[in-house]
Amino acid sequence: MDDILKTANELGIMIQDTEVYKNFQRMLLKLDKNEDAVRTLESYTSYAEELQVRRKNGDIIETYEEERMNELKKEVRDSELLMQFIGTRDAYMGLLLQIHTAIEQGEDGNE
């Protein structure tokens, strides 16, 4: 078990040394300094999650709710900072997904 934790720690250090991780951290700092962008992203995220849950439960989404979602999407798209953040976040998440896939392939004995 200690070997696994040691290797996980080494992997964490290697991840932190990537440009993808460094860019993501820089964007997090930039985003934290812009309260309007944070509020916009939080509004978009929470509303999207709410609608997703309601759809999953079979609820009817009213036209005005779809219009509100479109307005929030436009606010996000119109924000250069948020679009940069989303791009760097997606790149970082892509790296983590590749790592997860590599771990799964190791479990299956595939490469």
PDB file of all heavy atoms in Angstrom, residues 20-51:
ATOM      1  N   VAL A  20      -0.414  22.007 -18.795  1.00  0.00           N
ATOM      2  CA  VAL A  20      -1.879  21.943 -18.698  1.00  0.00           C
ATOM      3  C   VAL A  20      -2.318  22.302 -17.275  1.00  0.00           C
ATOM      4  O   VAL A  20      -3.220  23.116 -17.085  1.00  0.00           O
ATOM      5  CB  VAL A  20      -2.384  20.532 -19.100  1.00  0.00           C
ATOM      6  CG1 VAL A  20      -3.844  20.346 -18.769  1.00  0.00           C
ATOM      7  CG2 VAL A  20      -2.121  20.267 -20.566  1.00  0.00           C
ATOM      8  N   TYR A  21      -1.674  21.708 -16.290  1.00  0.00           N
ATOM      9  CA  TYR A  21      -2.009  21.983 -14.892  1.00  0.00           C
ATOM     10  C   TYR A  21      -1.686  23.431 -14.528  1.00  0.00           C
ATOM     11  O   TYR A  21      -2.501  24.124 -13.908  1.00  0.00           O
ATOM     12  CB  TYR A  21      -1.252  21.029 -13.965  1.00  0.00           C
ATOM     13  CG  TYR A  21      -1.482  21.315 -12.503  1.00  0.00           C
ATOM     14  CD1 TYR A  21      -2.588  20.802 -11.854  1.00  0.00           C
ATOM     15  CD2 TYR A  21      -0.590  22.102 -11.772  1.00  0.00           C
ATOM     16  CE1 TYR A  21      -2.810  21.064 -10.513  1.00  0.00           C
ATOM     17  CE2 TYR A  21      -0.801  22.371 -10.438  1.00  0.00           C
ATOM     18  CZ  TYR A  21      -1.918  21.848  -9.803  1.00  0.00           C
ATOM     19  OH  TYR A  21      -2.141  22.128  -8.473  1.00  0.00           O
ATOM     20  N   LYS A  22      -0.505  23.888 -14.935  1.00  0.00           N
ATOM     21  CA  LYS A  22      -0.099  25.265 -14.614  1.00  0.00           C
ATOM     22  C   LYS A  22      -1.047  26.279 -15.239  1.00  0.00           C
ATOM     23  O   LYS A  22      -1.430  27.268 -14.595  1.00  0.00           O
ATOM     24  CB  LYS A  22       1.335  25.510 -15.079  1.00  0.00           C
ATOM     25  CG  LYS A  22       2.368  24.743 -14.268  1.00  0.00           C
ATOM     26  CD  LYS A  22       3.751  24.913 -14.853  1.00  0.00           C
ATOM     27  CE  LYS A  22       4.766  24.060 -14.124  1.00  0.00           C
ATOM     28  NZ  LYS A  22       6.102  24.130 -14.712  1.00  0.00           N
ATOM     29  N   ASN A  23      -1.457  26.040 -16.490  1.00  0.00           N
ATOM     30  CA  ASN A  23      -2.411  26.944 -17.145  1.00  0.00           C
ATOM     31  C   ASN A  23      -3.741  26.953 -16.412  1.00  0.00           C
ATOM     32  O   ASN A  23      -4.351  28.011 -16.222  1.00  0.00           O
ATOM     33  CB  ASN A  23      -2.626  26.532 -18.607  1.00  0.00           C
ATOM     34  CG  ASN A  23      -1.436  26.836 -19.479  1.00  0.00           C
ATOM     35  OD1 ASN A  23      -0.601  27.678 -19.154  1.00  0.00           O
ATOM     36  ND2 ASN A  23      -1.336  26.140 -20.596  1.00  0.00           N
ATOM     37  N   PHE A  24      -4.190  25.782 -16.003  1.00  0.00           N
ATOM     38  CA  PHE A  24      -5.452  25.686 -15.271  1.00  0.00           C
ATOM     39  C   PHE A  24      -5.374  26.456 -13.954  1.00  0.00           C
ATOM     40  O   PHE A  24      -6.297  27.204 -13.610  1.00  0.00           O
ATOM     41  CB  PHE A  24      -5.806  24.218 -15.027  1.00  0.00           C
ATOM     42  CG  PHE A  24      -7.089  24.022 -14.282  1.00  0.00           C
ATOM     43  CD1 PHE A  24      -8.296  24.464 -14.810  1.00  0.00           C
ATOM     44  CD2 PHE A  24      -7.094  23.391 -13.048  1.00  0.00           C
ATOM     45  CE1 PHE A  24      -9.488  24.278 -14.116  1.00  0.00           C
ATOM     46  CE2 PHE A  24      -8.284  23.198 -12.353  1.00  0.00           C
ATOM     47  CZ  PHE A  24      -9.477  23.645 -12.887  1.00  0.00           C
ATOM     48  N   GLN A  25      -4.293  26.314 -13.234  1.00  0.00           N
ATOM     49  CA  GLN A  25      -4.132  27.037 -11.967  1.00  0.00           C
ATOM     50  C   GLN A  25      -4.098  28.552 -12.187  1.00  0.00           C
ATOM     51  O   GLN A  25      -4.697  29.308 -11.417  1.00  0.00           O
ATOM     52  CB  GLN A  25      -2.868  26.558 -11.239  1.00  0.00           C
ATOM     53  CG  GLN A  25      -2.949  25.137 -10.737  1.00  0.00           C
ATOM     54  CD  GLN A  25      -4.119  24.926  -9.798  1.00  0.00           C
ATOM     55  OE1 GLN A  25      -4.333  25.681  -8.852  1.00  0.00           O
ATOM     56  NE2 GLN A  25      -4.901  23.895 -10.063  1.00  0.00           N
ATOM     57  N   ARG A  26      -3.403  28.987 -13.248  1.00  0.00           N
ATOM     58  CA  ARG A  26      -3.370  30.425 -13.569  1.00  0.00           C
ATOM     59  C   ARG A  26      -4.775  30.946 -13.870  1.00  0.00           C
ATOM     60  O   ARG A  26      -5.156  32.026 -13.427  1.00  0.00           O
ATOM     61  CB  ARG A  26      -2.439  30.694 -14.743  1.00  0.00           C
ATOM     62  CG  ARG A  26      -0.970  30.722 -14.381  1.00  0.00           C
ATOM     63  CD  ARG A  26      -0.108  31.267 -15.506  1.00  0.00           C
ATOM     64  NE  ARG A  26       0.007  30.342 -16.620  1.00  0.00           N
ATOM     65  CZ  ARG A  26       0.957  29.421 -16.753  1.00  0.00           C
ATOM     66  NH1 ARG A  26       1.895  29.295 -15.836  1.00  0.00           N
ATOM     67  NH2 ARG A  26       0.991  28.629 -17.807  1.00  0.00           N
ATOM     68  N   MET A  27      -5.538  30.157 -14.620  1.00  0.00           N
ATOM     69  CA  MET A  27      -6.894  30.585 -14.962  1.00  0.00           C
ATOM     70  C   MET A  27      -7.792  30.610 -13.740  1.00  0.00           C
ATOM     71  O   MET A  27      -8.649  31.489 -13.610  1.00  0.00           O
ATOM     72  CB  MET A  27      -7.491  29.685 -16.048  1.00  0.00           C
ATOM     73  CG  MET A  27      -6.954  29.940 -17.435  1.00  0.00           C
ATOM     74  SD  MET A  27      -7.021  31.683 -17.978  1.00  0.00           S
ATOM     75  CE  MET A  27      -8.755  32.040 -17.844  1.00  0.00           C
ATOM     76  N   LEU A  28      -7.607  29.675 -12.823  1.00  0.00           N
ATOM     77  CA  LEU A  28      -8.377  29.701 -11.579  1.00  0.00           C
ATOM     78  C   LEU A  28      -8.115  30.988 -10.813  1.00  0.00           C
ATOM     79  O   LEU A  28      -9.050  31.607 -10.288  1.00  0.00           O
ATOM     80  CB  LEU A  28      -8.022  28.497 -10.694  1.00  0.00           C
ATOM     81  CG  LEU A  28      -8.680  27.169 -11.016  1.00  0.00           C
ATOM     82  CD1 LEU A  28      -8.111  26.072 -10.122  1.00  0.00           C
ATOM     83  CD2 LEU A  28     -10.185  27.255 -10.859  1.00  0.00           C
ATOM     84  N   LEU A  29      -6.850  31.395 -10.753  1.00  0.00           N
ATOM     85  CA  LEU A  29      -6.508  32.644 -10.054  1.00  0.00           C
ATOM     86  C   LEU A  29      -7.131  33.851 -10.741  1.00  0.00           C
ATOM     87  O   LEU A  29      -7.663  34.746 -10.082  1.00  0.00           O
ATOM     88  CB  LEU A  29      -4.991  32.804  -9.968  1.00  0.00           C
ATOM     89  CG  LEU A  29      -4.267  31.827  -9.046  1.00  0.00           C
ATOM     90  CD1 LEU A  29      -2.749  31.989  -9.171  1.00  0.00           C
ATOM     91  CD2 LEU A  29      -4.715  32.017  -7.610  1.00  0.00           C
ATOM     92  N   LYS A  30      -7.069  33.872 -12.080  1.00  0.00           N
ATOM     93  CA  LYS A  30      -7.683  34.977 -12.828  1.00  0.00           C
ATOM     94  C   LYS A  30      -9.177  35.026 -12.579  1.00  0.00           C
ATOM     95  O   LYS A  30      -9.754  36.094 -12.371  1.00  0.00           O
ATOM     96  CB  LYS A  30      -7.447  34.804 -14.334  1.00  0.00           C
ATOM     97  CG  LYS A  30      -6.192  35.385 -14.862  1.00  0.00           C
ATOM     98  CD  LYS A  30      -6.217  35.268 -16.386  1.00  0.00           C
ATOM     99  CE  LYS A  30      -4.990  35.868 -17.006  1.00  0.00           C
ATOM    100  NZ  LYS A  30      -5.011  35.755 -18.462  1.00  0.00           N
ATOM    101  N   LEU A  31      -9.797  33.863 -12.625  1.00  0.00           N
ATOM    102  CA  LEU A  31     -11.243  33.799 -12.437  1.00  0.00           C
ATOM    103  C   LEU A  31     -11.629  34.267 -11.044  1.00  0.00           C
ATOM    104  O   LEU A  31     -12.597  35.018 -10.879  1.00  0.00           O
ATOM    105  CB  LEU A  31     -11.730  32.366 -12.677  1.00  0.00           C
ATOM    106  CG  LEU A  31     -13.232  32.144 -12.640  1.00  0.00           C
ATOM    107  CD1 LEU A  31     -13.928  32.948 -13.738  1.00  0.00           C
ATOM    108  CD2 LEU A  31     -13.548  30.665 -12.791  1.00  0.00           C
ATOM    109  N   ASP A  32     -10.869  33.846 -10.038  1.00  0.00           N
ATOM    110  CA  ASP A  32     -11.162  34.242  -8.653  1.00  0.00           C
ATOM    111  C   ASP A  32     -11.128  35.756  -8.459  1.00  0.00           C
ATOM    112  O   ASP A  32     -11.791  36.280  -7.566  1.00  0.00           O
ATOM    113  CB  ASP A  32     -10.180  33.591  -7.686  1.00  0.00           C
ATOM    114  CG  ASP A  32     -10.528  32.144  -7.396  1.00  0.00           C
ATOM    115  OD1 ASP A  32     -11.652  31.710  -7.706  1.00  0.00           O
ATOM    116  OD2 ASP A  32      -9.654  31.430  -6.857  1.00  0.00           O
ATOM    117  N   LYS A  33     -10.372  36.458  -9.299  1.00  0.00           N
ATOM    118  CA  LYS A  33     -10.255  37.913  -9.176  1.00  0.00           C
ATOM    119  C   LYS A  33     -11.399  38.659  -9.860  1.00  0.00           C
ATOM    120  O   LYS A  33     -11.502  39.867  -9.732  1.00  0.00           O
ATOM    121  CB  LYS A  33      -8.921  38.379  -9.761  1.00  0.00           C
ATOM    122  CG  LYS A  33      -7.729  37.903  -8.960  1.00  0.00           C
ATOM    123  CD  LYS A  33      -6.439  38.341  -9.597  1.00  0.00           C
ATOM    124  CE  LYS A  33      -5.250  37.788  -8.825  1.00  0.00           C
ATOM    125  NZ  LYS A  33      -3.970  38.143  -9.431  1.00  0.00           N
ATOM    126  N   ASN A  34     -12.251  37.933 -10.580  1.00  0.00           N
ATOM    127  CA  ASN A  34     -13.335  38.568 -11.318  1.00  0.00           C
ATOM    128  C   ASN A  34     -14.677  38.062 -10.779  1.00  0.00           C
ATOM    129  O   ASN A  34     -15.180  37.026 -11.210  1.00  0.00           O
ATOM    130  CB  ASN A  34     -13.189  38.265 -12.812  1.00  0.00           C
ATOM    131  CG  ASN A  34     -14.154  39.041 -13.663  1.00  0.00           C
ATOM    132  OD1 ASN A  34     -15.321  39.179 -13.314  1.00  0.00           O
ATOM    133  ND2 ASN A  34     -13.675  39.540 -14.783  1.00  0.00           N
ATOM    134  N   GLU A  35     -15.244  38.825  -9.845  1.00  0.00           N
ATOM    135  CA  GLU A  35     -16.482  38.408  -9.177  1.00  0.00           C
ATOM    136  C   GLU A  35     -17.637  38.244 -10.155  1.00  0.00           C
ATOM    137  O   GLU A  35     -18.462  37.338  -9.998  1.00  0.00           O
ATOM    138  CB  GLU A  35     -16.848  39.396  -8.075  1.00  0.00           C
ATOM    139  CG  GLU A  35     -15.905  39.360  -6.893  1.00  0.00           C
ATOM    140  CD  GLU A  35     -16.272  40.371  -5.830  1.00  0.00           C
ATOM    141  OE1 GLU A  35     -17.464  40.759  -5.765  1.00  0.00           O
ATOM    142  OE2 GLU A  35     -15.378  40.750  -5.055  1.00  0.00           O
ATOM    143  N   ASP A  36     -17.712  39.105 -11.163  1.00  0.00           N
ATOM    144  CA  ASP A  36     -18.798  38.999 -12.138  1.00  0.00           C
ATOM    145  C   ASP A  36     -18.713  37.688 -12.917  1.00  0.00           C
ATOM    146  O   ASP A  36     -19.724  37.015 -13.139  1.00  0.00           O
ATOM    147  CB  ASP A  36     -18.775  40.179 -13.121  1.00  0.00           C
ATOM    148  CG  ASP A  36     -19.192  41.487 -12.464  1.00  0.00           C
ATOM    149  OD1 ASP A  36     -19.897  41.432 -11.434  1.00  0.00           O
ATOM    150  OD2 ASP A  36     -18.819  42.550 -12.992  1.00  0.00           O
ATOM    151  N   ALA A  37     -17.514  37.330 -13.333  1.00  0.00           N
ATOM    152  CA  ALA A  37     -17.334  36.090 -14.089  1.00  0.00           C
ATOM    153  C   ALA A  37     -17.658  34.880 -13.213  1.00  0.00           C
ATOM    154  O   ALA A  37     -18.306  33.934 -13.676  1.00  0.00           O
ATOM    155  CB  ALA A  37     -15.910  35.993 -14.626  1.00  0.00           C
ATOM    156  N   VAL A  38     -17.246  34.917 -11.957  1.00  0.00           N
ATOM    157  CA  VAL A  38     -17.540  33.821 -11.026  1.00  0.00           C
ATOM    158  C   VAL A  38     -19.047  33.694 -10.854  1.00  0.00           C
ATOM    159  O   VAL A  38     -19.600  32.585 -10.919  1.00  0.00           O
ATOM    160  CB  VAL A  38     -16.850  34.034  -9.658  1.00  0.00           C
ATOM    161  CG1 VAL A  38     -17.360  33.040  -8.620  1.00  0.00           C
ATOM    162  CG2 VAL A  38     -15.345  33.921  -9.803  1.00  0.00           C
ATOM    163  N   ARG A  39     -19.720  34.807 -10.662  1.00  0.00           N
ATOM    164  CA  ARG A  39     -21.178  34.794 -10.502  1.00  0.00           C
ATOM    165  C   ARG A  39     -21.870  34.246 -11.748  1.00  0.00           C
ATOM    166  O   ARG A  39     -22.793  33.440 -11.654  1.00  0.00           O
ATOM    167  CB  ARG A  39     -21.687  36.209 -10.201  1.00  0.00           C
ATOM    168  CG  ARG A  39     -22.277  36.354  -8.829  1.00  0.00           C
ATOM    169  CD  ARG A  39     -22.965  37.683  -8.597  1.00  0.00           C
ATOM    170  NE  ARG A  39     -22.339  38.867  -9.175  1.00  0.00           N
ATOM    171  CZ  ARG A  39     -21.365  39.569  -8.611  1.00  0.00           C
ATOM    172  NH1 ARG A  39     -20.881  39.199  -7.445  1.00  0.00           N
ATOM    173  NH2 ARG A  39     -20.879  40.635  -9.194  1.00  0.00           N
ATOM    174  N   THR A  40     -21.405  34.677 -12.913  1.00  0.00           N
ATOM    175  CA  THR A  40     -21.989  34.200 -14.170  1.00  0.00           C
ATOM    176  C   THR A  40     -21.814  32.699 -14.306  1.00  0.00           C
ATOM    177  O   THR A  40     -22.762  31.975 -14.636  1.00  0.00           O
ATOM    178  CB  THR A  40     -21.343  34.918 -15.374  1.00  0.00           C
ATOM    179  OG1 THR A  40     -21.620  36.318 -15.271  1.00  0.00           O
ATOM    180  CG2 THR A  40     -21.877  34.395 -16.689  1.00  0.00           C
ATOM    181  N   LEU A  41     -20.609  32.217 -14.043  1.00  0.00           N
ATOM    182  CA  LEU A  41     -20.342  30.786 -14.155  1.00  0.00           C
ATOM    183  C   LEU A  41     -21.161  29.990 -13.143  1.00  0.00           C
ATOM    184  O   LEU A  41     -21.720  28.939 -13.470  1.00  0.00           O
ATOM    185  CB  LEU A  41     -18.849  30.509 -13.978  1.00  0.00           C
ATOM    186  CG  LEU A  41     -18.407  29.073 -14.227  1.00  0.00           C
ATOM    187  CD1 LEU A  41     -18.750  28.617 -15.652  1.00  0.00           C
ATOM    188  CD2 LEU A  41     -16.908  28.939 -13.982  1.00  0.00           C
ATOM    189  N   GLU A  42     -21.257  30.485 -11.932  1.00  0.00           N
ATOM    190  CA  GLU A  42     -22.053  29.797 -10.904  1.00  0.00           C
ATOM    191  C   GLU A  42     -23.530  29.770 -11.283  1.00  0.00           C
ATOM    192  O   GLU A  42     -24.193  28.743 -11.113  1.00  0.00           O
ATOM    193  CB  GLU A  42     -21.862  30.460  -9.540  1.00  0.00           C
ATOM    194  CG  GLU A  42     -20.510  30.184  -8.923  1.00  0.00           C
ATOM    195  CD  GLU A  42     -20.252  30.964  -7.641  1.00  0.00           C
ATOM    196  OE1 GLU A  42     -21.045  31.883  -7.302  1.00  0.00           O
ATOM    197  OE2 GLU A  42     -19.253  30.666  -6.974  1.00  0.00           O
ATOM    198  N   SER A  43     -24.048  30.885 -11.796  1.00  0.00           N
ATOM    199  CA  SER A  43     -25.451  30.932 -12.217  1.00  0.00           C
ATOM    200  C   SER A  43     -25.709  29.939 -13.333  1.00  0.00           C
ATOM    201  O   SER A  43     -26.692  29.189 -13.305  1.00  0.00           O
ATOM    202  CB  SER A  43     -25.831  32.338 -12.693  1.00  0.00           C
ATOM    203  OG  SER A  43     -25.774  33.255 -11.648  1.00  0.00           O
ATOM    204  N   TYR A  44     -24.819  29.946 -14.326  1.00  0.00           N
ATOM    205  CA  TYR A  44     -24.966  29.029 -15.451  1.00  0.00           C
ATOM    206  C   TYR A  44     -24.924  27.579 -14.978  1.00  0.00           C
ATOM    207  O   TYR A  44     -25.787  26.763 -15.329  1.00  0.00           O
ATOM    208  CB  TYR A  44     -23.872  29.280 -16.492  1.00  0.00           C
ATOM    209  CG  TYR A  44     -23.814  28.201 -17.541  1.00  0.00           C
ATOM    210  CD1 TYR A  44     -24.723  28.186 -18.591  1.00  0.00           C
ATOM    211  CD2 TYR A  44     -22.874  27.186 -17.460  1.00  0.00           C
ATOM    212  CE1 TYR A  44     -24.695  27.173 -19.540  1.00  0.00           C
ATOM    213  CE2 TYR A  44     -22.840  26.173 -18.402  1.00  0.00           C
ATOM    214  CZ  TYR A  44     -23.741  26.172 -19.441  1.00  0.00           C
ATOM    215  OH  TYR A  44     -23.715  25.169 -20.367  1.00  0.00           O
ATOM    216  N   THR A  45     -23.928  27.252 -14.172  1.00  0.00           N
ATOM    217  CA  THR A  45     -23.738  25.876 -13.716  1.00  0.00           C
ATOM    218  C   THR A  45     -24.924  25.397 -12.884  1.00  0.00           C
ATOM    219  O   THR A  45     -25.452  24.304 -13.113  1.00  0.00           O
ATOM    220  CB  THR A  45     -22.433  25.751 -12.911  1.00  0.00           C
ATOM    221  OG1 THR A  45     -21.342  26.174 -13.728  1.00  0.00           O
ATOM    222  CG2 THR A  45     -22.184  24.327 -12.458  1.00  0.00           C
ATOM    223  N   SER A  46     -25.358  26.197 -11.940  1.00  0.00           N
ATOM    224  CA  SER A  46     -26.449  25.762 -11.060  1.00  0.00           C
ATOM    225  C   SER A  46     -27.762  25.643 -11.835  1.00  0.00           C
ATOM    226  O   SER A  46     -28.524  24.694 -11.627  1.00  0.00           O
ATOM    227  CB  SER A  46     -26.601  26.692  -9.853  1.00  0.00           C
ATOM    228  OG  SER A  46     -27.002  27.969 -10.245  1.00  0.00           O
ATOM    229  N   TYR A  47     -28.018  26.569 -12.761  1.00  0.00           N
ATOM    230  CA  TYR A  47     -29.260  26.507 -13.534  1.00  0.00           C
ATOM    231  C   TYR A  47     -29.239  25.307 -14.472  1.00  0.00           C
ATOM    232  O   TYR A  47     -30.244  24.595 -14.614  1.00  0.00           O
ATOM    233  CB  TYR A  47     -29.470  27.813 -14.305  1.00  0.00           C
ATOM    234  CG  TYR A  47     -30.903  28.054 -14.710  1.00  0.00           C
ATOM    235  CD1 TYR A  47     -31.866  28.350 -13.759  1.00  0.00           C
ATOM    236  CD2 TYR A  47     -31.285  27.975 -16.042  1.00  0.00           C
ATOM    237  CE1 TYR A  47     -33.182  28.567 -14.120  1.00  0.00           C
ATOM    238  CE2 TYR A  47     -32.598  28.198 -16.417  1.00  0.00           C
ATOM    239  CZ  TYR A  47     -33.547  28.491 -15.453  1.00  0.00           C
ATOM    240  OH  TYR A  47     -34.850  28.707 -15.812  1.00  0.00           O
ATOM    241  N   ALA A  48     -28.091  25.051 -15.109  1.00  0.00           N
ATOM    242  CA  ALA A  48     -27.971  23.905 -16.005  1.00  0.00           C
ATOM    243  C   ALA A  48     -28.185  22.600 -15.236  1.00  0.00           C
ATOM    244  O   ALA A  48     -28.875  21.687 -15.718  1.00  0.00           O
ATOM    245  CB  ALA A  48     -26.606  23.908 -16.691  1.00  0.00           C
ATOM    246  N   GLU A  49     -27.602  22.512 -14.048  1.00  0.00           N
ATOM    247  CA  GLU A  49     -27.779  21.309 -13.226  1.00  0.00           C
ATOM    248  C   GLU A  49     -29.235  21.135 -12.809  1.00  0.00           C
ATOM    249  O   GLU A  49     -29.769  20.023 -12.833  1.00  0.00           O
ATOM    250  CB  GLU A  49     -26.876  21.372 -11.989  1.00  0.00           C
ATOM    251  CG  GLU A  49     -25.416  21.178 -12.295  1.00  0.00           C
ATOM    252  CD  GLU A  49     -24.507  21.415 -11.104  1.00  0.00           C
ATOM    253  OE1 GLU A  49     -25.004  21.772  -9.999  1.00  0.00           O
ATOM    254  OE2 GLU A  49     -23.283  21.254 -11.264  1.00  0.00           O
ATOM    255  N   GLU A  50     -29.871  22.233 -12.438  1.00  0.00           N
ATOM    256  CA  GLU A  50     -31.279  22.173 -12.042  1.00  0.00           C
ATOM    257  C   GLU A  50     -32.150  21.658 -13.191  1.00  0.00           C
ATOM    258  O   GLU A  50     -32.986  20.761 -12.995  1.00  0.00           O
ATOM    259  CB  GLU A  50     -31.756  23.565 -11.616  1.00  0.00           C
ATOM    260  CG  GLU A  50     -33.231  23.624 -11.264  1.00  0.00           C
ATOM    261  CD  GLU A  50     -33.711  25.045 -10.987  1.00  0.00           C
ATOM    262  OE1 GLU A  50     -32.896  25.901 -10.579  1.00  0.00           O
ATOM    263  OE2 GLU A  50     -34.909  25.285 -11.197  1.00  0.00           O
ATOM    264  N   LEU A  51     -31.947  22.209 -14.378  1.00  0.00           N
ATOM    265  CA  LEU A  51     -32.738  21.769 -15.527  1.00  0.00           C
ATOM    266  C   LEU A  51     -32.442  20.315 -15.873  1.00  0.00           C
ATOM    267  O   LEU A  51     -33.355  19.561 -16.243  1.00  0.00           O
ATOM    268  CB  LEU A  51     -32.495  22.674 -16.736  1.00  0.00           C
ATOM    269  CG  LEU A  51     -32.999  24.114 -16.631  1.00  0.00           C
ATOM    270  CD1 LEU A  51     -32.786  24.849 -17.943  1.00  0.00           C
ATOM    271  CD2 LEU A  51     -34.454  24.184 -16.206  1.00  0.00           C
TER     272      LEU A  51
END
